[in-house]
Amino acid sequence: MNKYEKDQLLEQVMVEYGNELVRLAFTYVKNSETAKDMVQNAFIKCYENLDDFRFDASLKTWLYRITINQCKDYLKSWHHKKVQAKHFIQDTAQNILPSAEHKVLAKSEQQEMKDFIFALPANDREVLYLHYYQSLKLEEIAEMTGVGLNTVKTRLRRAKQKLKRKLEEAAVYG
């Protein structure tokens, strides 16, 4: 594949999958700027390795896999751990003196649902997002995440059960 073809293909996939990949990355890193950085790095890796891509799988699946791996590597990094500590301190300070905007957002049902979803373990949150928000089939999720189909089914069932329990508890105690 020559440079022009690679450039054209990269531009096409950036337009076609860019927003989806940012949303996917956000489910991992929980920060929009960091999510954009993860996707940018994924596109760079895609471009650098495009000559090695055999087109055995879809380009979309490959990009999802690269993005997921970028996010997982970032979450293991020292930089992320430092940023997490900083955010913990900032959040603690905000909770002591919560703003009016923060109070309004906390009461929102949509925010509450997001909180419930983000409270789930990463594996459960991942399959929920890919299945319900990206409308991917379970087989595609298995391929993207590198786990077996039965594992994906189990994670999805477990995630739905946990989410249902949290929603029921909120209805009873809310």
Side-chain angles (χ1 to χ4, degrees):
M1 183 176 291
N2 66 39
K3 183 180 178 350
Y4 177 76
E5 292 172 328
K6 281 175 67 173
D7 291 349
Q8 291 296 312
L9 184 58
L10 182 65
E11 185 177 334
Q12 177 188 346
V13 297
M14 288 174 74
V15 169
E16 194 169 337
Y17 304 122
N19 290 334
E20 289 177 38
L21 293 173
V22 170
R23 286 191 298 271
L24 171 66
F26 183 82
T27 65
Y28 283 89
V29 298
K30 299 177 187 169
N31 178 288
S32 59
E33 293 305 313
T34 304
K36 290 174 187 174
D37 290 343
M38 295 298 104
V39 172
Q40 183 177 3
N41 291 340
F43 282 132
I44 290 169
K45 282 191 178 186
C46 170
Y47 185 81
E48 290 171 345
N49 296 298
L50 208 48
D51 291 329
D52 298 331
F53 185 64
R54 296 183 309 268
F55 293 92
D56 292 341
S58 75
L59 198 53
K60 179 181 178 179
T61 302
W62 188 49
L63 283 167
Y64 268 65
R65 188 77 192 140
I66 293 171
T67 304
I68 289 169
N69 287 337
Q70 276 294 129
C71 292
K72 287 180 177 180
D73 289 346
Y74 172 75
L75 292 173
K76 293 177 196 172
S77 73
W78 171 248
H79 177 265
H80 169 68
K81 290 179 173 132
K82 262 183 19 183
V83 169
Q84 286 299 98
K86 178 183 170 188
H87 287 303
F88 174 75
I89 292 167
Q90 288 173 345
D91 289 346
T92 303
Q94 280 183 345
N95 287 336
I96 293 170
L97 302 167
S99 68
E101 180 182 354
H102 180 71
K103 289 177 184 176
V104 170
L105 286 175
K107 292 180 182 179
S108 156
E109 277 186 36
Q110 185 178 18
Q111 185 64 41
E112 188 175 25
M113 179 59 93
K114 284 181 184 176
D115 291 344
F116 288 149
I117 292 172
F118 281 121
L120 295 172
N123 288 336
D124 296 342
R125 188 173 62 240
E126 175 182 60
V127 293
L128 272 177
Y129 175 79
L130 292 173
H131 187 65
Y132 289 108
Y133 291 94
Q134 291 299 318
S135 303
L136 295 177
K137 296 177 182 170
L138 298 178
E139 294 80 8
E140 292 174 307
I141 297 170
E143 188 176 337
M144 284 180 197
T145 57
V147 297
L149 179 59
N150 287 335
T151 303
V152 170
K153 289 177 183 178
T154 300
R155 287 179 182 174
L156 184 59
R157 185 182 74 249
R158 185 178 55 217
K160 289 192 301 188
Q161 289 170 344
K162 288 177 184 176
L163 194 55
K164 181 181 176 187
R165 277 195 303 273
K166 286 182 178 288
L167 291 171
E168 287 170 349
E169 287 173 10
V172 170
Y173 297 112

